Amino acid sequence: MHSQIKMTERSGKCNILKFVKVLSFAFIFVILVIFVAATVRTLTFDVNAGLQLAPWEKTNNIAYDINQQQRGELLANFKDAIRIPTVSTSRTDQNTTALRDFNDLLRKAFPTVFSSHLVQHEVVANYSHLFWVPGSDLALVPYMLLAHIDVVPAEESDGWDAPPFSAKEIDGFIYGRGTIDNKQSVMGILQALEYLLIRGYSPQRGFFIGLGHDEEIQGLHGAMNIVKLLKKKGVQLAFVLDEGLAVLDGVITGLQGPAALIGISEKGHATVKLSVSMAPGHSSMPPWESSIGILAGAVKRLEDNPMPRLFGEGPERGTFEHLAHKFGLPLKFVMSNMWLFSPLLGRVMERSPETNAFVRTTTAVTMFNAGVKTNVLPSQAEAYVNLRIHSSQSLQEVLDLIQSIVGDERVKMELMHGFDPLPISSYDETSFGFQIIKKTVLDQFPQVTVAPGICIGNTDSRHYTDLTKDIYRFAPTWFRPGDAQRIPPFGYMPHKSVTPNELPM
């Protein structure tokens, strides 16, 4: 009996040992298969493989060479545009005198555009502009180019190296508010049309140009009224191209060469007010908790508990896959296999504020108001929280998470303004808009790698979702390390344009 028990125990141990061996072998086999699959994908993965020119791309390009006189005029017009302080401070505070002056400048700088029988022009909401250039083939759906005239406030005391509306040239760079947000697009689009018209240009596919005057304050008059006008005309668009991403040179660590990122979506937005109301009191007899203390605790909980990490669940995955072949090992191995390494890469990216924005919905406490006197306990305390919503979340999901994290019924939450992330535009081989933009970028900058991207800020283009399913966000501005911090709302450092010797003509 005793020996039988021992045999049974020995047999059980053998079975367990066999099971462990089989399990270990299976685990090693799975790891090996994953490694082989990842290696093969790394060696063969190329999102550009098989990309052929579609029939609509096989056109004869018009030479873009300009002479020195035209180059001088272009730069002079651009500097004049920067010198006009078209500032949008708030919805009720805009420099309308400057907007009228800018209208006069456009007519002076681009006489052919405004006198051509081919171009139809309308002023919208007093200061915005809508241009229509009809094509010879009316069966082709038109596209639209967007830019905005207004800029955010700027004072020389903010640390500018030159007065913000001086357009002063220092070491080959033009300094001024709006040089890269967004008057370079305004003047570039119209300057291109001016030169094309002078050369007898007539498009096969018609297109619109929309210049908004209040993008910095949500475009509620400019862009929204342009959209209303187009809807009234029954217009549908093949695609829209607005400001957004740019050419990044040396900005992405480990990437070999510059990359042009075309925004295929933009994050959602929410501004939430948190407030606490209590009976007022005197500092000589303070309660156990004050309105300020309760609200400060809620704010601290929000900062200590960031929104969930969602890297790889939105369009940012496509960005890295398009750029994978431009990384060296081991990064190439990682970027080519986002299906495997997204969680790991997300953890790395969240360590830096600049890249954390691509990992999750960001939470920023931007205003905190309470108290009017040093010895009086305020009855009211309020804080404003600004959130930029990741593409894989909705506005309502974010609001529910805030409520859960705050976890205090005494803290009232109120949505001041918000909207969901924008739909993701197509960017595959059959995508007309994306491929047109991509090929145009490569014509001008053959050395760049083109990839889809996500805008972490918001643009006027979000108002156009009823007119097209494809909205792209890109301006051919060349960014080097540190330049992104020059753009509001990232910072109020001086704007600095590309050097005149590097201006794409």
Side-chain angles (χ1 to χ4, degrees):
M1 183 75 176
H2 183 68
S3 60
Q4 285 182 335
I5 293 174
K6 281 191 173 182
M7 288 179 63
T8 304
E9 289 177 350
R10 196 176 300 117
S11 174
K13 288 179 180 179
C14 288
N15 289 335
I16 293 173
L17 188 59
K18 287 180 182 179
F19 177 75
V20 171
K21 285 182 178 180
V22 170
L23 190 63
S24 299
F25 176 79
F27 178 75
I28 292 172
F29 179 76
V30 169
I31 294 297
L32 183 62
V33 169
I34 291 174
F35 177 77
V36 171
T39 302
V40 170
R41 182 176 171 85
T42 301
L43 296 174
T44 61
F45 182 65
D46 183 1
V47 292
N48 296 303
L51 182 60
Q52 302 296 322
L53 291 177
W56 36 263
E57 292 176 301
K58 295 177 181 176
T59 57
N60 294 322
N61 292 333
I62 298 175
Y64 56 83
D65 295 332
I66 62 173
N67 58 41
Q68 284 301 114
Q69 179 182 346
Q70 289 174 317
R71 186 182 185 85
E73 291 172 353
L74 183 155
L75 290 172
N77 289 337
F78 181 59
K79 289 181 179 180
D80 286 343
I82 299 305
R83 292 185 183 110
I84 301 176
T86 52
V87 172
S88 292
T89 303
S90 68
R91 294 185 193 177
T92 58
D93 185 4
Q94 276 194 282
N95 190 337
T96 54
T97 300
L99 291 170
R100 286 191 292 269
D101 290 343
F102 200 88
N103 176 53
D104 294 340
L105 170 65
L106 293 182
R107 294 175 185 276
K108 175 186 172 184
F110 310 113
T112 310
V113 171
F114 284 89
S115 62
S116 172
H117 70 279
L118 185 66
V119 181
Q120 300 174 26
H121 169 249
E122 294 181 67
V123 175
V124 180
N126 298 320
Y127 309 109
S128 290
H129 299 266
L130 176 63
F131 299 87
W132 162 236
V133 184
S136 58
D137 188 345
L138 298 179
L140 296 177
V141 181
Y143 61 95
M144 189 165 190
L145 306 176
L146 300 181
H148 66 88
I149 294 165
D150 62 323
V151 299
V152 297
E155 300 291 339
E156 193 169 355
S157 59
D158 292 331
W160 286 74
D161 296 330
F165 297 103
S166 66
K168 186 176 179 180
E169 196 169 327
I170 305 174
D171 298 329
F173 291 88
I174 300 169
Y175 283 71
R177 179 66 95 215
T179 55
I180 49 178
D181 184 23
N182 176 240
K183 288 180 180 177
Q184 89 282 26
S185 291
V186 172
M187 303 303 284
I189 291 169
L190 292 182
Q191 190 73 70
L193 181 56
E194 177 81 5
Y195 287 154
L196 288 170
L197 292 171
I198 290 172
R199 298 182 188 194
Y201 168 74
S202 179
Q204 184 179 10
R205 182 186 297 269
F207 62 92
F208 292 91
I209 299 171
L211 306 179
H213 73 275
D214 60 346
E215 189 272 349
E216 299 291 1
I217 47 175
Q218 300 179 18
L220 301 181
H221 296 290
M224 288 191 71
N225 278 299
I226 290 175
V227 170
K228 286 179 183 177
L229 189 58
L230 293 176
K231 283 184 176 180
K232 190 179 295 185
K233 296 175 184 288
V235 171
Q236 283 293 304
L237 301 168
F239 69 90
V240 165
L241 174 61
D242 197 3
E243 64 168 333
L245 300 178
V247 180
L248 307 181
D249 187 1
V251 175
I252 303 175
T253 302
L255 185 70
Q256 299 169 359
L261 301 186
I262 301 170
I264 56 171
S265 183
E266 57 188 63
K267 297 181 84 172
H269 182 107
T271 298
V272 174
K273 182 172 79 169
L274 302 178
S275 59
V276 176
S277 297
M278 297 182 68
H282 196 273
S283 61
S284 60
M285 295 178 292
W288 299 121
E289 288 184 289
S290 66
S291 59
I292 294 176
I294 294 169
L295 186 58
V299 166
K300 188 66 167 60
R301 287 192 292 279
L302 283 178
E303 293 186 336
D304 288 344
N305 296 276
M307 294 289 164
R309 188 189 313 110
L310 299 169
F311 182 76
E313 298 183 25
E316 68 279 355
R317 176 170 176 169
T319 303
F320 287 92
E321 290 181 338
H322 275 71
L323 297 176
H325 64 292
K326 284 293 184 177
F327 284 92
L329 294 172
L331 286 177
K332 181 178 181 179
F333 185 80
V334 173
M335 303 305 181
S336 298
N337 296 280
M338 294 295 291
W339 59 277
L340 181 61
F341 292 110
S342 285
L344 175 63
L345 193 56
R347 286 182 177 275
V348 174
M349 292 183 68
E350 70 180 353
R351 296 175 183 176
S352 165
E354 289 79 10
T355 51
N356 181 58
F358 297 96
V359 171
R360 57 168 45 87
T361 295
T362 54
T363 306
V365 182
T366 55
M367 296 175 66
F368 199 110
N369 303 315
V372 294
K373 202 170 185 296
T374 58
N375 63 342
V376 175
L377 293 167
S379 60
Q380 186 80 12
E382 59 185 30
Y384 288 83
V385 183
N386 187 260
L387 303 106
R388 302 303 172 102
I389 304 172
H390 190 275
S391 296
S392 60
Q393 278 188 309
S394 69
L395 172 61
Q396 188 57 54
E397 287 173 341
V398 169
L399 295 178
D400 291 342
L401 279 169
I402 294 173
Q403 194 80 66
S404 174
I405 293 169
V406 169
D408 191 332
E409 294 181 353
R410 296 171 296 178
V411 181
K412 178 185 175 184
M413 184 179 78
E414 181 181 357
L415 176 65
M416 307 304 294
H417 171 70
F419 51 85
D420 285 320
L422 274 291
I424 298 171
S425 301
S426 64
Y427 59 96
D428 60 15
E429 293 181 14
T430 63
S431 173
F432 170 66
F434 186 86
Q435 296 301 338
I436 280 285
I437 300 166
K438 177 177 179 177
K439 289 300 191 298
T440 303
V441 170
L442 290 174
D443 279 346
Q444 301 300 311
F445 308 113
Q447 72 274 40
V448 308
T449 303
V450 179
I454 177 77
C455 284
I456 59 176
N458 298 120
T459 69
D460 264 348
S461 66
R462 70 182 186 278
H463 299 298
Y464 288 78
T465 52
D466 289 342
L467 301 181
T468 181
K469 64 181 179 61
D470 286 328
I471 298 174
Y472 303 102
R473 303 150 184 91
F474 174 79
T477 307
W478 204 278
F479 279 88
R480 294 187 174 87
D483 285 342
Q485 281 68 42
R486 299 177 183 274
I487 310 177
F490 298 110
Y492 287 88
M493 294 172 64
H495 285 200
K496 180 177 70 173
S497 79
V498 293
T499 172
N501 294 327
E502 296 173 353
L503 281 171
M505 300 300 181

